[in-house]
Amino acid sequence: MSGLFLSLEGIDGAGKSSHIDALEALFRAHGRQVVRTREPGGTPLAETLRSLVLDQPMDPLTESLLVFAARRDHVVQVIAPALARGDVVLCDRFTDATFAYQGGGRGFDLDVLATLERWVQWGAAEAEVLLQPAITLWFDLPAEVAAERLAGARVPDRFESQPLEFFRRVAAGYAARAAQSDRFARIDAGQSRDQVWQQVLIALHQRKLIA
Ligand SMILES: Nc1ncnc2c1ncn2[C@@H]1O[C@H](COP(=O)(O)OP(=O)(O)O)[C@@H](O)[C@H]1O
Ligand SMILES: Cc1cn([C@H]2C[C@H](O)[C@@H](COP(=O)(O)OP(=O)(O)O)O2)c(=O)[nH]c1=O
């Protein structure tokens, strides 16, 4: 069986994490091995880089280089081997988050990000192919609603403590990226948890990723 790379994306508080357990259970019920992981992170080195990115002040190029360095280690050590084994990789954020947060949120140069994306992902799992998720579940939610959901829910990190305007730009960054590729399945994350989950199931059925 061939591997399946699935990513979850959306602004902080959109509700991604609330559905990862159920997604893992769903694929396991279909007899698949599942590797559940996240970015930045997923390896010891990448988790160390994650804590720097989430805690230390730095300029947008440094931030972009660190998330792509973490991604390279993650892809080489975890994602590519899992896909080669035929596993399902459930990844909480991938490169679309860099385009949305560093590109949209920070206003960093999208051409530089696209160059780093090629360096890190080109040929990483399959020769002459840019490694990307087969499907990206994009939890789309207005920044105001996400902020209300997050208020008091957890201690904010360097991104979560950004003003609403930052998350409006991140949301616009996701929308722009999604407009460029049909691997995005837009999920209206403003609905109830049950309704959101139903949309996830429909997206997976439509793409024939589950029976
Ligand atoms: N559909 C929903 N309706 C209302 N609240 C939700 C919904 N989905 C998640 N939440 C709540 O919103 C907050 C953020 O959800 P979470 O899954 O942690 O988001 P993310 O992982 O995208 O940052 C949590 O407190 C969660 O319980
Ligand atoms: C993958 C990635 C994440 N981020 C940010 C988005 C999030 O605010 C933060 C961590 O993501 P996340 O794991 O969703 O945070 P949490 O565990 O608090 O739900 O890193 C970037 O800025 N660029 C990236 O490339």
Side-chain angles (χ1 to χ4, degrees), residues 11 44 50 117 124 131-133 139 146 150 154 159 162 166 174 178 187 194 198 209:
I11 61 174
R50 174 190 176 95
E117 178 183 40
L131 173 68
Q132 289 290 18
F139 292 75
L150 280 186
R154 56 193 185 218
F159 292 100
Q162 290 290 317
F166 176 85
Y174 274 123
I187 307 292
D194 271 1
Q198 289 309 316
L209 298 175

Side-chain angles (χ1 to χ4, degrees), residues 12 16 39-40 50 71 93 98 101-102 154 159-160:
D12 289 273
K16 292 174 289 102
E39 291 213 345
R50 174 190 176 95
R71 180 161 302 131
R93 301 189 183 283
T98 316
Y101 281 77
Q102 281 65 51
R154 56 193 185 218
F159 292 100
E160 289 169 348

Side-chain angles (χ1 to χ4, degrees), residues 79-107:
I79 297 177
L83 295 175
R85 289 193 302 270
D87 295 355
V88 175
V89 176
L90 295 183
C91 196
D92 190 344
R93 301 189 183 283
F94 194 63
T95 306
D96 302 316
T98 316
F99 280 82
Y101 281 77
Q102 281 65 51
R106 303 277 194 229

Side-chain angles (χ1 to χ4, degrees), residues 11-18 149-150 153-154 189 191-193 196:
I11 61 174
D12 289 273
K16 292 174 289 102
S17 313
S18 301
R149 285 186 186 174
L150 280 186
R154 56 193 185 218
Q191 300 187 358
S192 71
R193 278 183 182 73
V196 168

Side-chain angles (χ1 to χ4, degrees), residues 37-208:
T37 189
R38 68 172 181 181
E39 291 213 345
T43 69
L45 173 60
E47 290 290 331
T48 302
L49 295 174
R50 174 190 176 95
S51 58
L52 295 175
V53 169
L54 295 191
D55 294 340
Q56 304 285 327
M58 61 186 74
D59 85 301
L61 173 57
T62 309
E63 196 172 276
S64 302
L65 291 169
L66 289 182
V67 293
F68 270 113
R71 180 161 302 131
R72 177 69 187 176
D73 193 54
H74 188 212
V75 163
V76 169
Q77 306 283 349
V78 174
I79 297 177
L83 295 175
R85 289 193 302 270
D87 295 355
V88 175
V89 176
L90 295 183
C91 196
D92 190 344
R93 301 189 183 283
F94 194 63
T95 306
D96 302 316
T98 316
F99 280 82
Y101 281 77
Q102 281 65 51
R106 303 277 194 229
F108 188 64
D109 190 327
L110 297 178
D111 289 338
V112 175
L113 297 182
T115 300
L116 293 171
E117 178 183 40
R118 275 194 302 279
W119 280 6
V120 167
Q121 290 157 239
W122 181 257
E126 202 182 323
E128 305 293 312
V129 174
L130 187 80
L131 173 68
Q132 289 290 18
I135 178 170
T136 297
L137 298 173
W138 167 37
F139 292 75
D140 190 21
L141 190 68
E144 296 75 9
V145 183
E148 275 166 31
R149 285 186 186 174
L150 280 186
R154 56 193 185 218
V155 180
D157 59 35
R158 250 181 89 234
F159 292 100
E160 289 169 348
S161 53
Q162 290 290 317
L164 205 52
E165 190 45 45
F166 176 85
F167 289 101
R168 292 204 183 100
R169 292 196 301 272
V170 175
Y174 274 123
R177 183 92 166 151
Q180 294 167 10
S181 166
D182 57 9
R183 76 183 151 80
F184 285 82
R186 181 182 172 274
I187 307 292
D188 175 1
Q191 300 187 358
S192 71
R193 278 183 182 73
D194 271 1
Q195 288 168 324
V196 168
W197 177 243
Q198 289 309 316
Q199 292 179 64
V200 168
L201 290 178
I202 289 169
L204 296 176
H205 276 294
Q206 276 175 346
R207 288 154 198 256
K208 302 195 183 343

